[in-house]
Amino acid sequence: MNVRTAVQQARANTRSGEKTFQWFVATLLTVGGLLMVLPFAWMILSSFKTEGEVTQIPPTIWPQHFTLDNFKLLFDSMAFGTYLTNTLIIVLASFFGLFLNAMAGYGFAKFQFKGKGFLFYLVLATMMIPGQVTMIPVYLILNQMGLTNSMLGIVLPGLVGAFAIFLFRQFMSDIPEELLEATRLDGAGEFRTFLQIVLPISTPIIAVQAILTFIGGWNSFLWPLIIANDEKLYTLSVGLSLLKGQNESQFALQMAGSTFMVVPIMIIFIVFQKYIIENYTISGIK
Amino acid sequence: MKGSSQKLAPYLFIGPSIILLTLFSLLPILLALVISFTDMDLSGLVNYDSIRFIGLENYTNVLLDPSFIKSLGNTLFFVIIGVPLVLIFSLSIAILINMGKSRAFKIFRVVFYLPSVTNVVAVAVVWSYLYNPTLGLFNYVLGLMNLGPVPWLTDPTVAKVSLIVLAVWRGIGLNMIIFIAAIKGIPGSYYEAAQLDGANTWQQIRYITLPQLRYAIFFVSITTMIGWLQFFEEPFVMTKGKPLDGTLTASLFIYNNGFQFSKFGYAAAGSFILFFAIIAVTLIQFRLQNKAES
């Protein structure tokens, strides 16, 4: 009797027990899962209630008077349109940063040059420096460059990141050398080789990084908060924290602001979650 | 010609990133060290001549500052309670999800991961509403069960616990994914052998899964701990460190001194003390891990 059949027999003996156990696990996870989504469900439902209904006791679950007024208010009397534009500019800029990360990853993966090892350790070292230590000097550097209270000042410090460079390097190391040589022999310059051969091959890693970059850019909070004095430069996160401070008792409005921030990310995440989770499976633990 | 462009090419590829990382990551850490020995404030920003070198004065002052000491105590409270909770929950959920045989269990990965990707400010705003003493859902549900209202954010100790509940809820997802990845890496033959020996589910977890996850557990506990030591957004949006500095964290203290009071030198000294604390705690973790190995 080989191992497999023995295991199958053991499994058959406990099949009914196994089934009960599966149900037990599923129930446990469902209860936990409901607790995980409860705050989001409450947020979305409350954002469609009138201000009067939100402060009503006992609270209603489903909106009695379904209204979009809270969302209108965000755009009409608050500057959520401006915040949205700024946030999208930051997202676009972070995609340019992603391109720079890919370039650096390629440089480290496929070239031999003087100082390579040292420079790569330098890149990795930046991962260990906590944001609290750098935030004051970075502010002073930007101030010296005359970039405080500007979009460039918000975007520049977070443009490239060591972790993304590291991931690109790992992925691009596996690109066959012959392919690159063949392109070079055809007379293509280094940069054209990168654009026309390397980037298309790297689509899987770029896709994952792009989703994570989008989420990061959309959620950006601390730098815009520090650098922007002018409301014209606020991002959605900064605008929302401002909204909470100034409209402490208007909960329906606050929930509408939160819903507006969270739902787009939820949709993007749910659509692309397979790729994100696989990326962690590949690169998370080695 | 071809040869020289080959030599230059790698530097052109890595150049932009290296320049940006040097300017906004490496140079700042040196600059922070210098600033921490000066009395630089708002006037120093306009006129460099007014900046004086004051040696270790910032460091001695900040270490004697009651609100800094309080912030370190709070941060320690968050680490001691928060890290084990995140570990236990994310590990248990990862193991449970992995036990599921049907494809439906993949949905649970998404559900438990969802809070991690959503915006921390929005989430903090939502939880402030849930925690509201009179209108909040939590106190209403407690009322239904004839339990008294809880001062979620108005009592210094309870407020700390409330922030932990929120941060654990947010922290489960990413760590759970790391654990799921690590569990998938355990060879199935180990479990088959254990089943032949008649080991039950609990024994399989105890003697195969947990020992095999040693490195993943170590990795998650280090990253989670560093994260808690830098705890900032949740207390910033929800409590601003109130009540009575009960939720003031070291990061919030540094932010307040740097950007509210413009005491750059003082805040930089505080940031280095936090940095050293992070290094020390990480080294202790590595030491403990090595001891457990041998």
Side-chain angles (χ1 to χ4, degrees):
Chain A
M1 190 163 68
N2 65 23
V3 172
R4 188 137 308 197
T5 49
V7 168
Q8 274 165 358
Q9 196 160 7
R11 278 197 188 132
N13 291 341
T14 54
R15 190 168 290 157
S16 69
E18 170 78 1
K19 209 164 192 183
T20 330
F21 185 69
Q22 286 282 312
W23 275 106
F24 172 71
V25 170
T27 314
L28 214 60
L29 285 172
T30 308
V31 172
L34 286 175
L35 290 175
M36 295 309 268
V37 295
L38 174 92
F40 294 126
W42 192 246
M43 168 191 79
I44 295 171
L45 290 173
S46 300
S47 70
F48 294 117
K49 292 175 188 171
T50 61
E51 208 56 70
E53 194 180 341
V54 154
T55 52
Q56 194 175 302
I57 293 178
T60 53
I61 295 176
W62 204 256
Q64 286 170 326
H65 305 285
F66 185 91
T67 174
L68 288 172
D69 284 356
N70 300 311
F71 290 95
K72 278 188 199 130
L73 203 59
L74 288 179
F75 285 88
D76 292 346
S77 30
M78 324 252 157
F80 263 62
T82 315
Y83 306 156
L84 176 63
T85 316
N86 292 334
T87 307
L88 291 176
I89 293 174
I90 292 178
V91 168
L92 279 181
S94 65
F95 278 120
F96 176 66
L98 187 66
F99 181 71
L100 294 183
N101 286 332
M103 273 172 55
Y106 177 61
F108 281 118
K110 284 296 171 198
F111 290 94
Q112 294 306 324
F113 53 92
K114 224 174 152 185
K116 178 175 164 174
F118 170 76
L119 287 172
F120 191 63
Y121 280 119
L122 217 59
V123 170
L124 291 186
T126 62
M127 276 205 271
M128 286 156 216
I129 302 170
Q132 284 81 3
V133 181
T134 50
M135 71 186 177
I136 291 162
V138 169
Y139 176 81
L140 298 177
I141 290 171
L142 289 172
N143 186 61
Q144 188 65 30
M145 294 162 81
L147 289 178
T148 49
N149 211 21
S150 76
M151 195 42 95
L152 207 56
I154 294 174
V155 161
L156 271 184
L159 210 53
V160 298
F163 188 60
I165 294 175
F166 180 73
L167 284 185
F168 276 119
R169 191 198 75 136
Q170 295 294 86
F171 187 92
M172 290 170 177
S173 299
D174 294 337
I175 297 175
E177 209 68 59
E178 299 79 26
L179 193 64
L180 300 176
E181 275 310 313
T183 327
R184 283 182 192 130
L185 284 177
D186 284 348
E190 292 299 336
F191 200 67
R192 242 185 79 194
T193 311
F194 174 70
L195 285 182
Q196 295 184 343
I197 304 292
V198 176
L199 283 187
I201 292 179
S202 310
T203 315
I205 186 89
I206 293 173
V208 174
Q209 290 290 317
I211 300 160
L212 293 175
T213 302
F214 183 91
I215 293 176
W218 181 264
N219 288 342
S220 57
F221 174 59
L222 188 57
W223 265 114
L225 177 79
I226 289 174
I227 295 297
N229 300 319
D230 198 333
E231 211 195 334
K232 284 193 176 66
L233 288 168
Y234 285 174
T235 59
L236 284 169
S237 296
V238 177
L240 186 62
S241 71
L242 190 81
L243 172 76
K244 181 181 183 291
Q246 291 175 349
N247 303 276
E248 197 55 66
S249 56
Q250 285 176 280
F251 288 105
L253 188 64
Q254 288 183 34
M255 291 311 111
S258 303
T259 302
F260 186 70
M261 278 237 68
V262 163
V263 169
I265 286 297
M266 277 185 168
I267 294 170
I268 288 184
F269 173 68
I270 289 169
V271 172
F272 295 108
Q273 48 86 19
K274 209 180 119 220
Y275 304 100
I276 304 179
I277 290 174
E278 266 165 18
N279 179 50
Y280 276 108
T281 317
I282 296 161
S283 63
I285 294 271
K286 270 193 177 165
Chain B
M1 183 62 212
K2 179 99 187 164
S4 78
S5 85
Q6 270 279 32
K7 268 209 175 98
L8 200 61
Y11 296 104
L12 293 177
F13 278 111
I14 66 166
S17 294
I18 295 283
I19 291 169
L20 284 167
L21 284 177
T22 308
L23 196 55
F24 296 115
S25 232
L26 295 168
L27 179 65
I29 200 148
L30 297 176
L31 205 54
L33 193 62
V34 175
I35 297 166
S36 72
F37 295 117
T38 70
D39 66 350
M40 183 169 189
D41 56 15
L42 206 54
S43 62
L45 202 58
V46 192
N47 175 15
Y48 285 166
D49 295 337
S50 72
I51 304 170
R52 276 188 318 127
F53 182 78
I54 55 167
L56 288 171
E57 208 177 298
N58 283 326
Y59 287 89
T60 49
N61 285 343
V62 84
L63 283 170
L64 294 172
D65 187 333
S67 69
F68 185 68
I69 293 166
K70 189 136 203 196
S71 79
L72 287 182
N74 291 338
T75 307
L76 206 62
F77 184 94
F78 287 129
V79 169
I80 291 172
I81 313 273
V83 175
L85 283 179
V86 169
L87 265 180
I88 291 167
F89 277 111
S90 49
L91 185 55
S92 317
I93 292 164
I95 291 174
L96 285 177
I97 288 179
N98 230 61
M99 280 176 176
K101 300 272 190 289
S102 82
R103 288 175 66 86
F105 279 78
K106 286 200 168 168
I107 297 172
F108 287 120
R109 292 196 315 195
V110 182
V111 166
F112 284 92
Y113 193 11
L114 206 51
S116 311
V117 290
T118 47
N119 184 283
V120 61
V121 179
V123 156
V125 169
V126 173
W127 280 73
S128 300
Y129 177 42
L130 293 169
Y131 280 146
N132 187 283
T134 47
L135 305 170
L137 186 65
F138 291 162
N139 273 353
Y140 175 73
V141 172
L142 286 178
L144 288 182
M145 298 189 286
N146 285 320
L147 296 169
V150 171
W152 294 108
L153 296 174
T154 44
D155 174 86
T157 309
V158 181
K160 277 196 268 290
V161 176
S162 303
L163 288 184
I164 288 177
V165 172
L166 159 60
V168 168
W169 173 78
R170 256 182 71 78
I172 289 173
L174 180 59
N175 296 316
M176 172 201 77
I177 296 294
I178 293 170
F179 282 131
I180 288 179
I183 291 172
K184 288 220 191 304
I186 304 174
S189 55
Y190 290 11
Y191 293 102
E192 289 182 358
Q195 280 165 5
L196 275 180
D197 289 343
N200 62 30
T201 310
W202 171 244
Q203 286 166 329
Q204 289 173 37
I205 294 173
R206 171 75 182 76
Y207 295 107
I208 300 172
T209 315
L210 291 182
Q212 289 287 320
L213 290 183
R214 217 169 42 239
Y215 289 109
I217 293 171
F218 179 59
F219 176 80
V220 167
S221 59
I222 291 245
T223 51
T224 306
M225 201 175 51
I226 292 175
W228 282 97
L229 284 168
Q230 304 182 15
F231 200 38
F232 175 78
E233 275 99 346
E234 290 88 342
F236 178 80
V237 177
M238 292 177 77
T239 55
K240 301 261 176 215
K242 284 181 275 196
L244 300 170
D245 284 353
T247 58
L248 184 74
T249 61
S251 296
L252 201 49
F253 175 91
I254 295 164
Y255 175 86
N256 285 343
N257 277 285
F259 297 106
Q260 300 294 313
F261 316 135
S262 301
K263 290 156 76 177
F264 299 122
Y266 195 62
S271 76
F272 264 99
I273 292 170
L274 176 65
F275 190 22
F276 286 129
I278 292 175
I279 293 173
V281 172
T282 312
L283 286 179
I284 292 169
Q285 275 266 41
F286 269 98
R287 186 65 57 82
L288 289 176
Q289 170 79 3
N290 284 339
K291 207 168 249 174
E293 292 287 290
S294 59

